Amino acid sequence: MLDAFTSKELLSNIPVQIESICTHEDKLFVGTKQGTLLVYKFEEDKIDLSLTLKGFAKRSINQLALVTVLDLNQLICLSEGVLTVHNTQQQTIQLPGEQLSKARGAAIFAIHQSRAIDEQPSGQMAVAVKRKIILYHWLKKGLPQVVKEITLYDVPKAMVFHGESYSDQLYIGLKGKYCQLQLSSENVKELLCTGKQLEATMLWVDKNTVAICKDEWSILLGEDGKPCQDEYKSNIKWCDCPTGLLQCKPYIGAVIGKGLEIKTKQLVEPIQVIELPKVRFVAQDKRIFVASTTHLWELKLNDLVYQVDKLISLKQFDLAETLNKMSNEGNADIIDHNFAARQRKINTQAAYHEFIQRQYDKSMGRFQKSNVDVANVIGLFPDLLSKKMQERQEYPPEIVEARKYLTTKDVESGIEALEKYLVAKRFDLNKYEDEVENSKHIRIIIDTTLLKCYLQNKPKMVASLLRLKDNECHITESEKALKKARRLNDIIILYKSKGHHEKALTALKQYANMLSTQKHELGGPDHTIKYLQDLGPSDIHLIKEFSRWVIEKHPDKCLDIFLDPNTVHSLPQLEVVEHLKSINPDIALQYLERLVDIWNVNTEDIENSLIILLIERISEEWPAYQGILVSHGVEPSLPGCEPGKLGGLRESLIHFLERLQNYSPSLVIRHLGYEVPLYQELAVLYGRQRDYEKALALYCHVIKDRQKAEDFCHKYFHLDNQIYYKLLLMFQCPSSLEALRLDKFQLEEPKADMDTAINILIKHYQYIDVKEVSENEPAVKFP
């Protein structure tokens, strides 16, 4: 048990019989059975009898109270049904006192004192006269004034006001029961019976709570008259029926048969039992006094620091914490300046004790307050710290022993509580990172341990942790834990979060190859594609390296890597083209076509690349087509209508040559060469670089499509108003085709065709200067 109080005997075997006591500041008023009033004064530990008033009352002084509101200093005395008010100003006591006539025949009274608020009274007094309650108020200096009389159905035996300021509730003990009286409405609410004890006993505990006694119990009631449900305001059981109550926070005491029993509202077991023979009366203000009819004692609260240390040894940590806070608030004679260190000790010892008791949530909450090294807390559970770090942790012997007997269920419950602790520590560390030494190292320990906890209890949380931008999971420890748990997808997230892209992509390639025939989340190319999409231009070397196997094995999906909306414009597109060409030119061609058609990329380099690659692919397909023509002795198909890939390639080439605006015709012509008879494409190119005569020569004498020639003239007339005249000359006096450098194809030299020339003149005369035609018949000259 704890020695919370020390009792000091002040008076013994006095010649008069004590019937009542009250105290205020440094004075103690003692009322006797003989009607004598004794006034004692205290100076430190010394008590002096300063005043004896024989005949203060004609009979026994049953009850005393001092009213100090409004600086009144009025002593209220009840003696055999007579209630008197005595002024105690200037170190004297008024004799005789002012008798309150309305209260004649009073049995008991109760007083409530508070600060005056607006028109509310500073003091209230309830007087019980038979079955009647007479309510008095002090609104100003002078005698209290009657404000109300309330008649009950039985005679009050005990009364106590409820509330800190003006009180509208009066708790009353009747014969065999307690009730609550609403003073304003006069409503009476029955509460509990008194039990086997005859006398009602009550105490106002705080602003919201009143204690009433029933048998060996003190029941704490709230404002509504119902028992409190708060875990810190549970009912209190005494070892005997109380006949009186006292309070010195955090303690509450009961007058019992053999003396005083001291408890708290939180603890079941008694804190202290002080044997004081036949004690009956209690009075308290700044000091606490208890008395029997012949003896008087003072109760002194012992040094709080001593009590805190004792409570820690008794493992009463909640009470130790309460007293430690009191010591810091200056509620004791000794103010201890080592409050914070002592509080850490309380929390640490409590946390270890609660861990042993398997109260893991409470334990982790205590550790959160105690600032114990994070690694030491984590080390309480197996397999969370690295072997080397675990070996460095030191624990009390009882913790070492308790860890040996942790069951699987214990570990699961403990780790769940540890998760909350680590999340809270992580939050605090983020908030006060600049103030914490080695914060980076602590963050690594916290995040790595959280990962291991989630792997055991909440595997779905692993990915969320790893995706946090500020996660500090230790790469080696985390990798080991994830591999052991076969969390392949989370391993990839770990690598990615740490910027280990090459390791991640290598692993993805291995997993995809191993699992491609199985139903697995990492089987196939999709994860690699997504990963590569998230990389940027700075990682183009990795994109090229690890896209190769996707291009080779999954050509239908590989372009998603390079055409993702987030990176399609930022990647080095020409480098991507060369990379794709080196693996599969057709994929490169698809990439270029989508850049132009879907993403509206219209730079000269990209358009040149697209057209040149089409020409290269046509050149590769042409020999096979030429062989078919020769072997079967058939005429070539129209451009774009050739069988197989060739027709589609030529159709695309003509389409892009006519549609695109930024490619270089001269560069394309150089790449076009003169190995493949791409006459129509060449005509379009000549038109683009304004070599109209060459283009017309191709349409008229090589392709031999007069309609296409006329369409060409219509298209470029706005750039050259002589173009129809040049068309006319192509048939009137054609020149040699040598300038076209198409000798390889053994083209037939053109001949004049006057009928066609006349037809063109007739059809397009409005665009041709007829006079010039009649005067000049020059041959067409190619530049």
Side-chain angles (χ1 to χ4, degrees):
M1 298 178 77
L2 175 70
D3 293 331
F5 293 91
T6 299
S7 63
K8 179 182 180 182
E9 188 177 78
L10 300 177
L11 300 173
S12 62
N13 298 317
I14 60 176
V16 291
Q17 184 175 330
I18 299 173
E19 281 293 310
S20 57
I21 59 175
C22 76
T23 181
H24 178 65
E25 294 187 345
D26 60 347
K27 290 181 181 178
L28 175 68
F29 299 86
V30 178
T32 68
K33 187 174 183 179
Q34 293 78 12
T36 300
L37 179 69
L38 305 176
V39 182
Y40 293 90
K41 189 171 183 180
F42 294 88
E43 289 184 7
E44 297 180 354
D45 292 334
K46 186 179 178 182
I47 181 172
D48 292 315
L49 180 62
S50 64
L51 189 62
T52 301
L53 293 175
K54 291 184 178 181
F56 179 77
K58 292 181 179 180
R59 296 182 182 180
S60 174
I61 301 174
N62 307 114
Q63 190 176 353
L64 290 170
L66 193 69
V67 177
T68 59
V69 293
L70 301 172
D71 298 325
L72 286 172
N73 289 321
Q74 292 178 350
L75 182 66
I76 312 298
C77 173
L78 176 62
S79 173
E80 300 299 333
V82 177
L83 194 64
T84 53
V85 180
H86 304 263
N87 193 340
T88 64
Q89 299 281 11
Q90 300 176 348
Q91 306 299 319
T92 63
I93 297 179
Q94 173 191 352
L95 284 175
E98 299 282 348
Q99 184 174 334
L100 300 180
S101 58
K102 278 271 189 183
R104 189 166 186 81
I108 55 170
F109 68 87
I111 287 179
H112 181 71
Q113 303 182 70
S114 63
R115 292 185 301 108
I117 301 176
D118 299 328
E119 296 300 318
Q120 293 178 353
S122 295
Q124 298 167 269
M125 179 168 64
V127 182
V129 181
K130 296 183 180 178
R131 292 191 299 114
K132 187 181 293 184
I133 299 291
I134 303 174
L135 186 62
Y136 289 84
H137 283 178
W138 280 271
L139 290 171
K140 55 185 178 179
K141 291 187 177 182
L143 295 176
Q145 302 298 311
V146 176
V147 293
K148 182 176 281 193
E149 294 183 15
I150 304 170
T151 301
L152 303 176
Y153 58 84
D154 203 351
V155 178
K157 304 292 184 182
M159 298 186 296
V160 63
F161 282 95
H162 180 279
E164 280 190 318
S165 56
Y166 170 73
S167 177
D168 191 44
Q169 290 181 345
L170 186 68
Y171 282 77
I172 302 172
L174 303 172
K175 185 179 180 180
K177 66 181 66 176
Y178 293 98
C179 65
Q180 182 189 56
L181 172 61
Q182 198 81 25
L183 297 174
S184 57
S185 66
E186 302 184 13
N187 287 332
V188 177
K189 177 182 179 181
E190 291 191 359
L191 302 175
L192 302 169
C193 65
T194 58
K196 61 188 177 184
Q197 68 187 75
L198 299 177
E199 297 295 325
T201 303
M202 295 184 290
L203 173 71
W204 175 56
V205 177
D206 57 37
K207 63 181 180 180
N208 293 319
T209 313
V210 169
I212 62 175
C213 295
K214 177 184 179 181
D215 298 332
E216 294 88 2
W217 291 88
S218 284
I219 300 166
L220 302 178
L221 304 179
E223 289 180 296
D224 56 0
K226 295 180 180 179
C228 297
Q229 301 299 319
D230 192 320
E231 64 175 315
Y232 293 110
K233 290 184 178 179
S234 56
N235 299 331
I236 303 169
K237 186 176 183 181
W238 308 101
C239 60
D240 200 352
C241 295
T243 58
L245 296 171
L246 63 87
Q247 179 174 253
C248 179
K249 292 181 179 180
Y251 301 112
I252 186 168
V255 177
I256 56 175
K258 57 184 176 181
L260 289 175
E261 184 179 355
I262 307 298
K263 301 189 81 169
T264 69
K265 289 174 282 185
Q266 297 98 322
L267 300 178
V268 174
E269 297 300 321
I271 294 292
Q272 184 181 11
V273 176
I274 305 171
E275 293 190 2
L276 300 172
K278 299 181 180 179
V279 64
R280 288 178 55 193
F281 312 109
V282 176
Q284 65 182 108
D285 186 44
K286 290 186 176 179
R287 295 177 180 230
I288 303 174
F289 300 98
V290 293
S292 67
T293 56
T294 57
H295 290 68
L296 178 71
W297 299 270
E298 181 182 7
L299 292 183
K300 283 193 172 183
L301 185 64
N302 288 329
D303 174 51
L304 294 182
V305 175
Y306 158 77
Q307 292 192 56
V308 169
D309 291 338
K310 181 70 173 176
L311 287 166
I312 291 174
S313 68
L314 294 172
K315 303 190 185 307
Q316 300 293 345
F317 301 109
D318 289 333
L319 185 54
E321 186 172 22
T322 300
L323 292 182
N324 193 45
K325 289 177 181 176
M326 286 174 59
S327 73
N328 192 51
E329 293 166 358
N331 290 341
D333 295 333
I334 299 175
I335 299 177
D336 182 53
H337 297 287
N338 292 319
F339 162 77
R342 201 162 52 249
Q343 189 63 43
R344 283 195 297 273
K345 181 180 178 182
I346 292 169
N347 285 324
T348 303
Q349 295 292 328
Y352 282 135
H353 176 69
E354 287 159 349
F355 178 84
I356 293 171
Q357 300 299 314
R358 292 173 169 78
Q359 297 174 338
Y360 299 116
D361 280 323
K362 286 186 176 181
S363 176
M364 294 301 121
R366 292 278 193 179
F367 278 127
Q368 177 68 21
K369 298 176 184 176
S370 67
N371 290 325
V372 170
D373 179 41
V374 173
N376 194 261
V377 178
I378 296 168
L380 291 168
F381 301 96
D383 303 324
L384 293 179
L385 290 177
S386 65
K387 186 177 180 181
K388 188 179 292 185
M389 187 175 289
Q390 184 70 56
E391 289 171 351
R392 292 201 295 265
Q393 307 308 313
E394 296 181 357
Y395 300 102
E398 59 268 28
I399 290 293
V400 175
E401 191 67 19
R403 290 181 72 244
K404 295 178 182 178
Y405 299 100
L406 289 175
T407 65
T408 302
K409 188 175 180 180
D410 292 334
V411 172
E412 287 177 0
S413 300
I415 285 180
E416 190 170 340
L418 180 64
E419 287 171 13
K420 300 172 188 174
Y421 162 79
L422 293 172
V423 169
K425 292 295 287 185
R426 194 179 196 277
F427 177 81
D428 290 343
L429 200 59
N430 284 342
K431 194 172 182 180
Y432 305 108
E433 188 166 5
D434 295 338
E435 303 172 23
V436 179
E437 188 177 351
N438 296 324
S439 60
K440 173 84 170 178
H441 175 67
I442 297 171
R443 282 281 298 277
I444 291 172
I445 295 174
I446 289 174
D447 285 359
T448 305
T449 306
L450 260 179
L451 174 74
K452 294 178 180 180
C453 290
Y454 288 155
L455 282 172
Q456 293 191 44
N457 278 10
K458 299 175 183 175
K460 290 183 179 179
M461 291 292 293
V462 172
S464 298
L465 173 64
L466 293 173
R467 287 193 179 100
L468 290 177
K469 290 183 179 179
D470 61 346
N471 98 75
E472 293 289 352
C473 292
H474 188 276
I475 183 73
T476 305
E477 280 291 309
S478 302
E479 184 180 35
K480 191 188 302 180
L482 291 168
K483 284 183 176 178
K484 184 178 179 181
R486 295 190 59 78
R487 302 289 297 184
L488 305 183
N489 194 39
D490 293 330
I491 290 174
I492 302 304
I493 299 173
L494 171 69
Y495 290 151
K496 189 175 185 179
S497 70
K498 299 300 177 184
H500 292 199
H501 302 309
E502 189 167 0
K503 288 185 76 172
L505 289 163
T506 301
L508 279 173
K509 182 179 178 181
Q510 293 172 348
Y511 296 151
N513 290 334
M514 287 190 303
L515 306 169
S516 58
T517 58
Q518 306 172 22
K519 288 186 177 180
H520 193 280
E521 58 180 342
L522 294 182
D526 293 343
H527 278 265
T528 297
I529 290 171
K530 180 64 175 69
Y531 198 107
L532 293 173
Q533 285 175 335
D534 293 339
L535 300 181
S538 59
D539 296 307
I540 187 62
H541 62 292
L542 291 174
I543 295 174
K544 289 162 63 176
E545 179 182 353
F546 288 97
S547 64
R548 177 174 288 274
W549 75 267
V550 180
I551 298 167
E552 291 172 346
K553 294 188 176 183
H554 304 277
D556 56 322
K557 293 185 175 183
C558 66
L559 282 182
D560 292 345
I561 297 169
F562 308 99
L563 294 172
D564 182 77
N566 296 316
T567 56
V568 63
H569 293 294
S570 60
L571 291 177
Q573 294 165 344
L574 292 178
E575 194 171 343
V576 171
V577 171
E578 292 304 314
H579 169 62
L580 295 174
K581 279 175 65 177
S582 68
I583 304 169
N584 187 333
D586 287 335
I587 300 297
L589 193 56
Q590 292 175 40
Y591 171 69
L592 286 165
E593 288 175 345
R594 293 187 194 180
L595 282 182
V596 170
D597 286 337
I598 298 174
W599 296 104
N600 299 317
V601 178
N602 54 10
T603 64
E604 181 179 346
D605 288 337
I606 290 299
E607 292 187 4
N608 286 339
S609 297
L610 171 58
I611 292 170
I612 290 169
L613 183 54
L614 280 168
I615 292 170
E616 291 174 354
R617 291 293 293 118
I618 290 169
S619 299
E620 292 170 4
E621 296 291 332
W622 188 265
Y625 175 61
Q626 186 68 34
I628 293 173
L629 295 179
V630 172
S631 62
H632 291 78
V634 295
E635 292 293 321
S637 301
L638 293 174
C641 297
E642 297 87 351
K645 288 184 180 180
L646 181 61
L649 291 170
R650 286 201 71 182
E651 185 179 14
S652 294
L653 177 58
I654 294 168
H655 166 74
F656 287 119
L657 286 174
E658 292 177 342
R659 181 190 136 200
L660 301 182
Q661 301 297 318
N662 298 310
Y663 64 87
S664 169
S666 58
L667 177 66
V668 174
I669 289 172
R670 287 198 299 274
H671 279 81
L672 191 64
Y674 298 96
E675 301 299 318
V676 179
L678 303 180
Y679 306 136
Q680 187 162 315
E681 293 86 340
L682 191 58
V684 175
L685 288 167
Y686 282 144
R688 276 296 179 87
Q689 66 178 14
R690 301 190 182 183
D691 286 346
Y692 303 130
E693 289 85 353
K694 289 183 180 179
L696 288 170
L698 283 166
Y699 283 125
C700 295
H701 305 305
V702 179
I703 301 172
K704 297 181 180 180
D705 190 330
R706 173 183 157 186
Q707 185 58 49
K708 278 188 168 49
E710 292 183 27
D711 293 341
F712 180 83
C713 292
H714 178 74
K715 181 178 180 180
Y716 288 103
F717 179 74
H718 68 289
L719 296 175
D720 184 357
N721 58 12
Q722 294 291 313
I723 196 164
Y724 280 100
Y725 175 61
K726 293 174 181 177
L727 174 60
L728 174 68
L729 294 178
M730 286 294 158
F731 294 99
Q732 183 181 2
C733 47
S735 297
S736 171
L737 299 178
E738 291 180 4
L740 296 176
R741 295 186 291 178
L742 299 175
D743 302 342
K744 177 180 179 181
F745 303 112
Q746 301 177 356
L747 298 175
E748 182 181 342
E749 281 297 321
K751 297 177 181 179
D753 184 351
M754 293 307 295
D755 290 338
T756 302
I758 292 169
N759 285 336
I760 289 172
L761 180 60
I762 293 171
K763 187 175 181 180
H764 301 291
Y765 69 91
Q766 68 270 38
Y767 304 119
I768 301 172
D769 187 341
V770 179
K771 183 178 179 182
E772 187 176 353
V773 173
S774 60
E775 293 178 355
N776 303 303
E777 295 182 4
V780 176
K781 295 182 179 180
F782 298 109

